[in-house]
Amino acid sequence: MTGGEDQTETSFRITRPQLAVAGGLSLALVALFVATMPFARLPTHNTEILVPAYAAATFVLEAMTAALLFALYSARRYLPLLFLASGYLFGALMLAPWALTFPGVFTGFDMEAGLQVTAAFGLLRRLAFPLFVLAFALAPRREIATNASLVAISVCIGATVLIEATLYFRDALPPLMRDGRQVNLLWQVVPALAMGLYAVDIALLLWLRRSALSLWVCIVLFSLGIELLLISYLGGGTRLSVGWWAGRIYGLLAMSIILLVLIAQTTLVHIRLARTVAAELRSREKRLTAMEALSASIAHEINQPLASMVTNADAALRWLSKAEPRIDKAELALRRIVEDGHRANGVVAGIRTMFTKGTRERAELDLAAIVARAAGEAGRDARHYGVEIAVEGEREVPPVIGNAVQLHHVLRNLIENAVDAVRAAPLRARRVTVRLSQEAHGEVHVGVADTGAGIAAEVAERLFDPFVTTKPGGMGMGLMFCRAVVEAHGGSIWTSANTPHGAIFHFSLPVAILSVADAQARSGVEEKAR
């Protein structure tokens, strides 16, 4: 079996709800059949006017079912579908001449074609459909590249030829009807043969058990069998009797089953497709957001060393442009430019290790040394604004496991944010304090306190989310970057109010006595930070 066949089989696989619905429908058909039995032979009067309405409704149902089946075949190229679609199309084409030649219906239009013509069209319709279903059941389960429209045209041409031949040779037709309402004994062969074909088709379909479509075709054949029982046996073969009309109603219901199944299946496919498209759009939006966050994070982190490089370059130019150039001062500014260049390179390398899979460079780190270096670097720029940076607390703490570049930039972010907060605050003590301490539960704690205006309550809960900032020109990526790094190292980060003014940003990391694996298990969020 090819991949296309497997796809078709799974598209119409039998499910328990379908079995339940099919069983319930069969029981309902049997119940209605039993309820109709006592009245089957009662004649009706002046009901010929309903025949065109019945024929039109059945024609629409069968034509729509054929169209959907041909469309499904065009998409799947599944051979059995071609035979089933042809059966419905042929049955629909036989309905028009059957209704037009029905005795007593179109008498005013000179449509009398003879006593046997209507029965002949009924015979063709009654026996052709189970033969097409037999082809549907026995057709090899493979794809075949046949144009569905050409097959439909061929069926139409064949049906037209049969209609013309029947009308042309109407005088040579076998005596199937005794009069306009009663059948001859010869007609009894037709329902018996049709019932036999129905039974064979049902047995083959249930034995092969190809798909849910086969199950519903069995229900159609079962309904058509009840129709024949009511029309030809319980109704005595009398046209327009209660049993005859009840049988026609069964036939009308039978012809609507596959149409409803196809519509339901198509609706489910469209629902699944809509859900898939919506999920893909959500996934795409998440990827775009992640890319935006990455780009903004890189821009944010690179901006700091670049700004420092520009400041030092301006200072070097000023020292060199004096009447007596200060070579020593210019050299010091140029060395800072080199340091900032290396820092920018380290920023890119650190962000790349955060947002890509693979080996991360982790080692035992002296967090106190990283704090001192970050505070010293930030202090050179902070002095220009009259801001003092002080390091307090324990000078020696246990080592931590981590990436030195990433942790260094976390500290630089927090310290520079604190400096900006102090600069924007009213004149008061311009001080940023970095406190380092060892916690009792095996963690090293770092706190960065400022004397700025503090953090508004409505912003505090979202402060570490992407694109959330309290700065007029901020991008809202620095604190998100800090949280991603700290949580990737198995730690946590949070904020609190400083007394009497300002805010404190805290983060803690597990000490190196824990292995890297233990630290990752402790946080459980390293993969999320990636």
Side-chain angles (χ1 to χ4, degrees):
M1 186 182 296
T2 66
E5 294 158 19
D6 291 337
Q7 183 182 3
T8 302
E9 292 295 329
T10 55
S11 299
F12 288 101
R13 64 182 182 274
I14 299 175
T15 61
R16 288 186 177 180
Q18 288 176 336
L19 286 174
V21 172
L25 182 59
S26 300
L27 292 175
L29 292 173
V30 171
L32 290 173
F33 170 72
V34 173
T36 310
M37 287 175 60
F39 314 100
R41 291 183 179 269
L42 295 177
T44 62
H45 303 284
N46 301 321
T47 55
E48 297 89 344
I49 194 174
L50 299 177
V51 171
Y54 158 77
T58 307
F59 175 84
V60 170
L61 290 174
E62 293 188 356
M64 290 179 62
T65 304
L68 287 176
L69 287 170
F70 275 120
L72 187 60
Y73 168 78
S74 298
R76 303 289 178 82
R77 300 292 181 183
Y78 191 53
L79 184 59
L81 293 174
L82 192 61
F83 290 111
L84 189 61
S86 300
Y88 274 95
L89 179 59
F90 184 85
L93 294 174
M94 289 293 110
L95 270 170
W98 177 84
L100 289 172
T101 60
F102 199 92
V105 175
F106 293 100
T107 54
F109 296 93
D110 194 22
M111 296 297 295
E112 294 293 339
L115 187 62
Q116 311 301 329
V117 174
T118 306
F121 287 128
L123 182 149
L124 291 174
R125 174 179 161 80
R126 188 68 65 185
L127 297 182
F129 183 76
L131 290 176
F132 278 108
V133 173
L134 186 63
F136 165 76
L138 297 177
R141 291 184 288 179
R142 68 165 183 265
E143 293 182 359
I144 181 171
T146 300
N147 195 316
S149 59
L150 293 179
V151 175
I153 292 172
S154 300
V155 173
C156 292
I157 293 174
T160 303
V161 171
L162 279 175
I163 292 171
E164 293 292 338
T166 303
L167 293 173
Y168 185 79
F169 295 104
R170 60 180 178 269
D171 295 332
L173 293 175
L176 299 174
M177 299 297 298
R178 187 187 312 165
D179 53 40
R181 290 205 173 198
Q182 301 297 322
V183 297
N184 262 329
L185 186 61
L186 182 60
W187 174 261
Q188 299 302 324
V189 178
V190 177
L193 183 58
M195 293 284 284
L197 289 173
Y198 293 163
V200 171
D201 289 343
I202 292 174
L204 287 174
L205 290 173
L206 291 178
W207 177 54
L208 295 174
R209 197 178 177 83
R210 288 182 176 178
S211 62
L213 186 59
S214 300
L215 174 66
W216 292 111
V217 172
C218 289
I219 301 299
V220 171
L221 295 173
F222 181 69
S223 302
L224 293 177
I226 294 178
E227 177 191 17
L228 272 180
L229 287 175
L230 286 169
I231 293 176
S232 299
Y233 295 104
L234 295 178
T238 303
R239 284 175 176 170
L240 305 179
S241 63
V242 172
W244 190 88
W245 276 116
R248 296 300 172 185
I249 293 174
Y250 269 95
L252 191 64
L253 293 174
M255 292 300 105
S256 65
I257 290 175
I258 298 298
L259 177 62
L260 294 176
V261 169
L262 291 175
I263 292 175
Q265 189 74 17
T266 304
T267 304
L268 288 176
V269 169
H270 280 287
I271 291 173
R272 291 169 187 159
L273 180 61
R275 289 175 178 173
T276 302
V277 171
E280 180 61 27
L281 288 176
R282 287 194 298 270
S283 176
R284 185 171 179 271
E285 289 175 358
K286 289 180 181 178
R287 289 195 298 268
L288 289 175
T289 302
M291 291 300 297
E292 290 174 359
L294 177 59
S295 301
S297 179
I298 293 174
H300 179 275
E301 298 304 317
I302 291 294
N303 183 61
Q304 294 174 354
L306 287 180
S308 180
M309 291 168 70
V310 171
T311 301
N312 287 313
D314 288 338
L317 288 173
R318 286 196 302 271
W319 290 117
L320 291 174
S321 64
K322 288 182 176 294
E324 294 182 4
R326 295 292 303 272
I327 303 299
D328 55 336
K329 296 290 187 179
E331 183 181 357
L332 180 60
L334 292 173
R335 289 184 184 278
R336 290 174 180 171
I337 292 175
V338 173
E339 291 177 2
D340 288 329
H342 288 301
R343 184 155 67 97
N345 181 63
V347 168
V348 175
I351 294 176
R352 183 177 59 189
T353 58
M354 283 185 58
F355 288 93
T356 59
K357 295 183 178 180
T359 305
R360 274 112 176 126
E361 295 181 1
R362 298 290 179 88
E364 286 192 2
L365 303 175
D366 182 359
L367 192 58
I370 296 176
V371 168
R373 183 161 62 92
E377 292 175 354
R380 290 196 295 266
D381 295 330
R383 282 193 292 271
H384 293 292
Y385 308 110
V387 179
E388 177 189 359
I389 299 178
V391 179
E392 299 179 354
E394 302 179 25
R395 297 294 181 178
E396 295 184 1
V397 292
V400 298
I401 297 291
N403 184 291
V405 175
Q406 294 177 1
L407 293 177
H408 176 266
H409 287 291
V410 167
L411 285 161
R412 283 298 301 266
N413 261 321
L414 296 179
I415 294 172
E416 289 171 2
N417 284 346
V419 171
D420 291 339
V422 171
R423 287 174 53 197
L427 291 176
R428 61 169 71 103
R430 291 178 168 244
R431 182 181 178 87
V432 173
T433 305
V434 183
R435 294 187 180 89
L436 183 66
S437 62
Q438 180 182 358
E439 300 295 324
H441 47 276
E443 289 185 339
V444 177
H445 172 266
V446 178
V448 180
D450 63 69
T451 56
I455 302 171
E458 61 271 14
V459 180
E461 296 181 356
R462 303 181 293 111
L463 201 56
F464 295 97
D465 293 340
F467 311 113
V468 176
T469 181
T470 58
K471 300 179 184 179
M475 301 178 66
M477 297 304 301
L479 292 177
M480 186 216 72
F481 173 83
C482 294
R483 182 179 66 176
V485 171
V486 171
E487 291 182 348
H489 284 72
S492 57
I493 187 169
W494 68 98
T495 183
S496 64
N498 193 14
T499 304
H501 304 287
I504 306 176
F505 284 84
H506 311 261
F507 72 88
S508 60
L509 297 173
V511 299
I513 192 170
L514 299 174
S515 65
V516 176
D518 291 336
Q520 293 176 356
R522 184 188 184 110
S523 66
V525 293
E526 179 166 1
E527 287 301 323
K528 185 184 297 184
R530 298 177 190 175

